[in-house]
Amino acid sequence: MAIDPKHLPEDPKVLQQMVLDLMAQLDREFCERNKIETLLRELLDARRNRKSEQLSADQLALFAAAWQARQAEAETPATPDDSDDDDTAPGAGSPAAPKKRTGGRQPLPRHLKRERIVHDLADSEKHCAACQQDLRPIGEESSERYEYIPAQLTVIEDVCRKYACACTVKTATKPPQPIEKSTAGASLLAQVIVAKNADHLPLHRQEKIFERHGVDISRQTMCGWLAQCADLLKPLYGTLQEVLFQSKVIGTDDTSVKVLDVTLPFARTGRIWPYYGDKDHPVILYDYTATRARAGPEEFLKGYRGYLQADAYGGYDAFFKDPARGLIEVGCWAHARRYFHKALESDQARMGPALLLIAQLYRVEKQAQALASEDRLRLRQVQSQPILDKLRDYLSEIQAEVLPKSPEGRAVRYTLKNWTALTRYCEHGDLEIDNNATERAIRGVAVGRNNWIFFGSDQGGHTAAVLRSCVASCQRVGINPFTWLKDVLSRIAAHPITRLAELLPHNWTPAQA
């Protein structure tokens, strides 16, 4: 109700109701202001600072002291000493220690083509003026340097000879081309695909590069090439999906992309979904959907049974609640840790101990990296499970001390709500503590969209998903995507469809071999 300070009611009950209404209004405004301030701080940090959640040893020591003080107040035993604990960056999972670089200049790669240039003395300098004798060779000094030879385009003329007799005419046939009646060979198509999907060069920049070589290839032409290559590679995409579905665990996430729509005055938002296979099935597949609706992943994952590691996106909930669906949820501690890190500035006293315990979980994972699945599971049950029990008890204790809609309240609520999924990695040695491998698979899309800005249509999104899947799967197994695409595009038209698995990046052998 509107309040007139000059004419306040005299009824105590009415005044009490007015006070309650004002308190509720202040609470709503406080929560809204806190939310806006948090968002503004995150935006400013993202713009000004390096995005990292890594904690220093001093911070961890401070959090350890706070944790021990809190435990002492509760008259419970203190946690073990963790002065040697190391935190890990959120985007890197639990990386191994970086290799030490040896001093001095490293030898140049032996696989590069070499040209030997001999520098000799002039004939007049091969005579000693002091002893009047001719100089004799005693050896040589050599050094190596890089020289860059710009790429070049070559025109290949296919000549098919014709023969005839009195009754027939025969003409030699040329090998099938990726795109019949096109001026683009397999190597040029591979270059355009790799430049767009691995080097993030939009087509208008590639158009300028070709102009510097004296060749006029429009971006519209290259766009058509990409769509035709994606159609050609779709059978391989389907075979990659079959291999992906054999994985024990699949990691997934999603990221937004802008999509042009002729019916709208602005670009709408589409989604790219990466699907990351396990170590025995090293493929990365991307799927495009026009919206973030549940129907997208539901259609893609139809037929898959196993573990699915993802963030707490509500669209997956129906999958996990239906036993007939056969999907088991695995949470991501990197996502959970991110909530605590965002709340660290507003409530360091409570968030610090939580981050300390999460850092201890990652320290265990660092030790478990080189172990077999059974040994890793045993290590987690011995070391990680007690830490998880302490963390759950601590979060349950502070849940009543924090405001539900505050950053720290959201961190506690997210973690406790998804506790079963977050702790499932301790039930199987092949599961990971976080979904960072899948997040790294998104990085290429995130970098690319800063360059090519948008998809021209939904069909362009599907094309990009197929081509990006091939490039990323090559990169995962350490194969040069250009070499693979050049070979596969030149062979796939005549390759038996029953032997498509031979062309997959992790099974591929070049035709020359």
Side-chain angles (χ1 to χ4, degrees):
M1 65 176 67
I3 299 177
D4 184 359
K6 296 181 180 180
H7 300 87
L8 293 175
E10 297 181 358
D11 188 349
K13 293 184 178 180
V14 176
L15 289 173
Q16 289 178 356
Q17 185 61 43
M18 291 173 61
V19 171
L20 292 175
D21 292 343
L22 287 173
M23 291 176 63
Q25 181 180 351
L26 286 173
D27 184 57
R28 288 194 300 270
E29 291 180 354
F30 173 79
C31 292
E32 187 66 24
R33 187 184 67 180
N34 189 48
K35 181 179 179 181
I36 294 173
E37 288 178 350
T38 301
L39 179 59
L40 180 60
R41 183 170 60 251
E42 292 174 3
L43 291 174
L44 291 175
D45 287 343
R47 184 177 182 85
R48 297 173 180 172
N49 304 325
R50 182 174 67 93
K51 186 177 180 181
S52 174
E53 297 168 17
Q54 189 170 3
L55 300 175
S56 66
D58 292 338
Q59 285 177 299
L60 290 174
L62 181 64
F63 299 158
W67 168 260
Q68 291 173 355
R70 187 179 185 95
Q71 295 297 92
E73 290 177 1
E75 296 182 355
T76 57
T79 59
D81 181 27
D82 46 278
S83 58
D84 61 339
D85 186 28
D86 290 326
D87 191 23
T88 54
S94 48
K99 297 180 180 179
K100 293 183 179 180
R101 295 178 60 89
T102 57
R105 178 180 296 179
Q106 302 300 310
L108 304 189
R110 301 304 303 173
H111 68 275
L112 296 180
K113 180 180 178 181
R114 277 170 162 72
E115 179 182 352
R116 181 179 172 87
I117 301 177
V118 179
H119 305 279
D120 202 355
L121 295 174
D123 291 340
S124 59
E125 296 178 348
K126 295 180 180 180
H127 186 77
C128 179
C131 64
Q132 304 300 317
Q133 293 184 0
D134 291 335
L135 301 180
R136 64 183 185 278
I138 61 172
E140 60 185 21
E141 295 179 359
S142 66
S143 63
E144 294 182 327
R145 69 179 187 272
Y146 286 117
E147 289 291 346
Y148 179 76
I149 301 175
Q152 59 182 4
L153 289 167
T154 303
V155 176
I156 302 297
E157 180 182 4
D158 289 305
V159 179
C160 300
R161 294 191 174 234
K162 303 175 69 174
Y163 297 86
C165 65
C167 61
T168 186
V169 176
K170 290 185 178 181
T171 304
T173 57
K174 65 179 182 180
Q177 297 301 306
I179 304 176
E180 290 299 331
K181 299 182 180 180
S182 172
T183 58
S187 59
L188 180 57
L189 295 173
Q191 171 59 30
V192 174
I193 294 172
V194 171
K196 174 72 182 293
N197 293 278
D199 302 328
H200 318 298
L201 283 176
L203 297 182
H204 70 87
R205 292 187 191 173
Q206 296 191 52
E207 183 180 14
K208 297 293 183 182
I209 293 173
F210 287 128
E211 283 182 5
R212 292 200 296 270
H213 292 287
V215 180
D216 183 17
I217 303 178
S218 69
R219 66 194 77 175
Q220 291 83 2
T221 299
M222 287 185 281
C223 186
W225 290 348
L226 293 178
Q228 290 173 288
C229 287
D231 289 338
L232 194 62
L233 294 170
K234 274 185 179 178
L236 274 182
Y237 181 87
T239 307
L240 282 171
Q241 188 175 14
E242 293 175 4
V243 174
L244 176 73
F245 282 8
Q246 297 171 14
S247 299
K248 187 175 297 182
V249 55
I250 293 178
T252 184
D253 207 333
D254 68 288
T255 188
S256 61
V257 287
K258 292 182 179 179
V259 185
L260 296 186
D261 192 330
V262 295
T263 64
L264 298 173
F266 54 86
R268 55 182 172 82
T269 301
R271 312 297 296 192
I272 286 286
W273 307 75
Y275 295 92
Y276 197 93
D278 62 22
K279 61 181 180 180
D280 296 325
H281 305 88
V283 300
I284 305 176
L285 251 65
Y286 295 81
D287 185 38
Y288 168 81
T289 59
T291 67
R292 206 191 181 203
R294 185 185 69 190
E298 184 174 21
E299 176 65 24
F300 184 90
L301 293 170
K302 185 184 298 182
Y304 172 66
R305 300 291 185 271
Y307 293 98
L308 184 67
Q309 188 164 29
D311 58 8
Y313 168 51
Y316 298 127
D317 291 346
F319 304 162
F320 305 129
K321 291 178 181 178
D322 182 9
R325 187 66 181 81
L327 288 179
I328 304 172
E329 182 181 13
V330 183
C332 173
W333 272 105
H335 280 84
R337 178 173 58 183
R338 197 163 298 142
Y339 279 93
F340 290 102
H341 196 275
K342 289 179 179 179
L344 184 61
E345 184 175 341
S346 59
D347 194 347
Q348 181 171 310
R350 294 186 179 90
M351 298 298 100
L355 286 171
L356 173 71
L357 294 174
I358 295 174
Q360 291 179 347
L361 294 175
Y362 272 91
R363 182 181 61 179
V364 177
E365 291 306 301
K366 202 171 187 179
Q367 300 172 3
Q369 267 189 330
L371 301 179
S373 176
E374 296 78 7
D375 297 331
R376 184 186 303 178
L377 176 61
R378 192 176 303 110
L379 179 66
R380 287 171 175 172
Q381 291 175 343
V382 172
Q383 296 191 22
S384 297
Q385 192 60 54
I387 300 173
L388 288 168
D389 293 340
K390 292 176 186 176
L391 180 58
R392 180 186 54 195
D393 294 341
Y394 174 69
L395 296 180
S396 300
E397 180 183 343
I398 67 172
Q399 187 173 22
E401 302 174 7
V402 297
L403 294 175
K405 295 184 179 180
S406 64
E408 51 270 22
R410 288 194 293 269
V412 173
R413 185 173 65 253
Y414 174 90
T415 306
L416 292 178
K417 180 182 177 182
N418 299 284
W419 188 257
T420 301
L422 287 171
T423 57
R424 185 156 279 131
Y425 81 100
C426 285
E427 300 175 4
H428 202 296
D430 288 332
L431 302 179
E432 298 293 337
I433 189 173
D434 56 36
N435 202 25
N436 282 337
T438 308
E439 289 199 354
R440 286 193 292 272
I442 291 181
R443 188 176 301 166
V445 179
V447 174
R449 69 186 172 205
N450 290 333
N451 293 280
W452 38 257
I453 308 299
F454 54 79
F455 292 148
S457 64
D458 288 333
Q459 183 58 42
H462 293 298
T463 295
V466 173
L467 299 179
R468 178 65 192 165
S469 298
C470 295
V471 170
S473 295
C474 286
Q475 292 173 329
R476 180 173 178 183
V477 296
I479 290 177
N480 185 338
F482 172 83
T483 306
W484 181 84
L485 282 164
K486 177 185 175 183
D487 181 72
V488 169
L489 287 174
S490 62
R491 295 166 57 187
I492 192 170
H495 195 81
I497 195 169
T498 57
R499 293 166 48 197
L500 282 179
E502 298 175 0
L503 300 181
L504 300 183
H506 57 281
N507 296 331
W508 171 70
T509 300
Q512 294 82 351

